[in-house]
């Protein structure tokens, strides 16, 4: 059976299963560092690539391969590379694409360590970078140079949920001979497939929706052709940041429920976004499913659902943010996202606290900004929890940020 022809729902259950040569219904965990050769000739043939097979787990492993094939199929790519974390996936893209003298155009609103990796490590190697507001395609076009090798975007962006136009940015990048890499972590392959919109590379933090159970750190890069795959596989093999078989097994198990989880995240997300939008303590809500999202129309053309992550601004600013987070009981105070449990965080006092206020505001992280990753609990219970916590912040109204929406 060619699982690439299945619908996404059936793909979640069956994709990658051809890697399982045992009779086990579930892909076994090949918890081994190395694989036995039948003879020196066999070993030589494997190393020379004349014969297919496994040699050493850093270079490939059937449990990892099954999970990789499943994500590649869901993303409509050809191959995927399982990495030790989302950041290992980000680094694999940079290390595979960039050489001294190259230029990168990157989203200003991007996961913090991605920005820091470019600004510290890759800058040292002679790479120049322009961080622009990629939700404005003209800014991307304006930043492209003859030496631009890579355009790197995150859409929706972390944590402000801004969208970037994948199709237009891919076309602009290709015209200048650059490649487009998209971090698709927030929507997962269930709701968005950047490769079908012209992107060259897709990556994910598997830690989030794809695994979905907040018990694994992992990442993945998906590519479209054999040459890119061998180049990336060689970089990952040399740098060593591969996922291990047990984590790959857990992610592979998580993928089986990706579709039903994502639909529930989105259903709950819509209910909670509407509740928050109508609440007197909230200045605005940014969620791709709301018509009030400044790029709602763009979203309708490039994703099939809004996902489970939203941002909202409390009218009461910084103190209101702290009080809200100290008052929730069902929502968990934590910085990750994409798990079955609802997580809430206050970037100004947590993930972005180390930045100067000016830097924070440049990344559009305002004082009262809250990021909510909606889980799959009963939405009424979540609304009840947010209602009681918002009742406690009523004293802070007054510091309403200017304008209804900062985008
Ligand atoms: N990309 C995005 C959009 C993220 O939100 C994160 C982590 O939060 C990462 C990449 C990095 O993933 P990991 O924590 O698995 O290294």
């Amino acid at each position: 059976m060619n699982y690439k022809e299945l619908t996404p729902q059936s793909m979640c259950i069956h994709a990658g299963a051809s890697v399982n040569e045992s009779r086990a219904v579930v892909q076994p965990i090949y918890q081994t560092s190395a694989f036995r050769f039948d003879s020196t000739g066999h070993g030589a043939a494997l190393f020379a690539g004349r014969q297919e097979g496994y040699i050493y787990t850093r270079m490939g492993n059937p449990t990892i391969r099954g999970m990789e094939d499943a994500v590649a199929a869901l993303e409509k790519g050809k191959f995927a590379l399982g990495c030790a974390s989302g950041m290992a996936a980000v680094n694999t893209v940079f290390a595979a694409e960039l050489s001294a003298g190259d230029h990168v155009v990157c989203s200003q609103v991007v996961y913090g360590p991605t920005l820091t990796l470019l600004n510290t490590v890759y800058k040292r190697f002679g790479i120049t970078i322009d961080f622009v507001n990629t939700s404005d395609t003209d800014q991307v076009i304006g930043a492209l140079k003859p030496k631009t090798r890579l355009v790197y975007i995150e859409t929706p962006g972390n944590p402000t949920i801004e969208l970037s136009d994948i199709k237009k940015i891919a076309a602009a990048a290709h015209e200048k001979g650059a490649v487009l890499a998209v971090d698709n972590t927030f929507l997962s392959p269930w709701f968005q497939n950047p490769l079908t919109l012209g992107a060259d590379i897709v990556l994910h933090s598997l830690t989030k929706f794809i695994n979905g159970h907040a018990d694994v750190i992992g990442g993945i890069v998906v590519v479209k052709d054999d040459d890119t795959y061998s180049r990336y596989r060689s970089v990952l093999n040399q740098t060593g940041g591969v996922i291990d078989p047990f984590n790959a097994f857990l992610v592979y198990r998580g993928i089986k429920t990706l579709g039903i989880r994502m639909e529930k995240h989105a259903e709950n997300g819509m209910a909670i976004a509407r509740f928050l939008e109508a609440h007197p303590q909230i200045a605005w809500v940014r969620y791709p499913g709301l018509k009030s999202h400044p790029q709602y129309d763009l979203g309708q053309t490039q994703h099939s659902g809004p996902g489970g992550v939203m941002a909202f601004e409390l009218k009461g600013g910084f103190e209101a943010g702290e009080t809200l987070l100290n008052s929730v009981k069902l929502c968990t105070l934590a910085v990750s996202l994409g798990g079955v449990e609802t997580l809430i965080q206050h970037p100004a006092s947590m993930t972005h606290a180390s930045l100067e206020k000016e830097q924070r505001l440049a990344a559009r992280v305002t004082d009262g900004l809250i990021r909510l990753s909606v889980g799959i609990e009963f939405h009424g219970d979540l609304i009840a929890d947010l209602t009681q916590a918002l009742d406690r912040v009523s004293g802070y109204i007054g510091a309403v940020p200017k304008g209804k929406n900062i985008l």
Side-chain angles (χ1 to χ4, degrees):
M1 180 191 55
N2 181 2
Y3 57 75
K4 291 199 172 175
E5 287 167 5
L6 293 172
T7 59
Q9 180 57 43
S10 301
M11 241 183 224
C12 285
I13 313 297
H14 296 288
S18 53
V19 178
N20 178 6
E21 286 170 1
S22 76
R23 297 184 68 82
V25 171
V26 170
Q27 170 78 319
I29 309 173
Y30 287 81
Q31 193 69 32
T32 180
S33 53
F35 296 82
R36 190 166 36 79
F37 305 133
D38 293 339
S39 62
T40 52
H42 180 215
L46 289 173
F47 269 104
R50 289 193 305 276
Q51 203 173 323
E52 288 229 341
Y54 295 96
I55 299 172
Y56 187 59
T57 284
R58 176 159 48 74
M59 302 158 78
N61 171 294
T63 313
I64 299 174
R65 183 63 194 258
M67 183 280 290
E68 290 171 333
D69 285 358
V71 179
L74 286 162
E75 273 296 7
K76 320 250 183 287
K78 190 157 184 193
F79 297 107
L81 302 100
C83 303
S85 66
M87 283 316 300
V90 174
N91 186 54
T92 301
V93 174
F94 294 162
E97 293 297 343
L98 301 176
S99 305
D102 283 348
H103 173 249
V104 180
V105 177
C106 181
S107 297
Q108 221 165 38
V109 172
V110 74
Y111 181 57
T114 302
L115 185 146
T116 312
L117 178 63
L118 281 173
N119 254 345
T120 55
V121 179
Y122 283 90
K123 228 175 217 175
R124 278 201 283 115
F125 298 151
I127 312 288
T128 54
I129 307 120
D130 275 314
F131 293 98
V132 301
N133 180 356
T134 53
S135 62
D136 174 0
T137 307
D138 288 342
Q139 285 199 28
V140 179
I141 294 170
L144 289 167
K145 299 179 180 171
K147 292 212 155 178
T148 307
R149 168 70 196 154
L150 175 69
V151 178
Y152 183 97
I153 63 173
E154 206 175 276
T155 181
N158 189 0
T160 60
I161 323 296
E162 297 172 21
L163 307 183
S164 300
D165 189 326
I166 301 171
K167 224 179 214 171
K168 285 195 181 145
I169 294 175
H174 294 160
E175 209 181 297
K176 296 280 179 188
V179 295
L180 173 65
V182 179
D183 183 333
N184 197 27
T185 299
F186 269 41
L187 287 180
S188 89
W190 188 257
F191 283 139
Q192 183 168 268
N193 294 133
L195 297 179
T196 64
L197 298 164
D200 304 281
I201 309 290
V202 166
L203 62 133
H204 289 272
S205 166
L206 292 171
T207 315
K208 317 299 183 202
F209 288 105
I210 295 184
N211 176 57
H213 293 75
D215 51 10
V216 163
I217 295 283
I220 201 152
V221 181
V222 186
V223 300
K224 298 203 265 205
D225 61 82
D226 295 58
D227 287 350
T228 313
Y229 176 66
S230 356
R231 200 156 46 83
Y232 272 61
R233 178 58 77 188
S234 162
V235 166
L236 183 59
N237 188 23
Q238 263 69 265
T239 51
V242 291
I243 194 166
D244 72 84
F246 183 62
N247 278 345
F249 167 82
L250 288 176
V251 173
Y252 202 13
R253 184 168 71 160
I255 289 170
K256 293 185 195 294
T257 56
L258 179 69
I260 52 177
R261 280 188 287 108
M262 290 313 292
E263 293 299 333
K264 187 67 183 163
H265 283 297
E267 186 189 315
N268 278 358
M270 280 310 301
I272 287 163
R274 287 193 180 117
F275 157 76
L276 290 171
E277 200 165 42
H279 197 283
Q281 301 291 337
I282 311 285
W284 48 258
V285 180
R286 182 97 32 76
Y287 179 60
L290 290 179
K291 292 215 165 117
S292 58
H293 190 294
Q295 295 148 304
Y296 177 80
D297 291 338
L298 168 64
Q300 295 305 297
T301 68
Q302 65 180 21
H303 57 234
S304 57
V309 187
M310 67 189 68
F312 58 92
E313 176 79 20
L314 287 164
K315 289 182 181 173
F318 192 90
E319 289 79 8
E322 285 191 320
T323 304
L324 178 79
L325 265 71
N326 286 325
S327 305
V328 288
K329 295 182 176 137
L330 180 61
C331 302
T332 303
L333 203 55
V335 292
S336 196
L337 59 101
V340 290
E341 58 290 284
T342 297
L343 301 183
I344 191 164
Q345 77 120 334
H346 179 216
S349 69
M350 297 179 177
T351 43
H352 293 65
S354 63
L355 298 183
E356 295 296 326
K357 189 162 180 174
E358 269 178 20
Q359 279 178 303
R360 225 183 350 100
L361 293 178
R364 292 181 281 292
V365 175
T366 42
D367 285 351
L369 184 78
I370 304 291
R371 190 186 73 188
L372 187 69
S373 172
V374 179
I376 63 169
E377 301 95 336
F378 172 56
H379 68 269
D381 291 336
L382 293 168
I383 288 174
D385 187 36
L386 289 166
T387 302
Q388 66 78 26
L390 283 164
D391 283 350
R392 291 173 165 256
V393 301
S394 54
Y396 296 111
I397 287 201
V400 184
K402 287 206 177 77
K404 180 137 174 63
N405 207 313
I406 54 169
L407 253 191

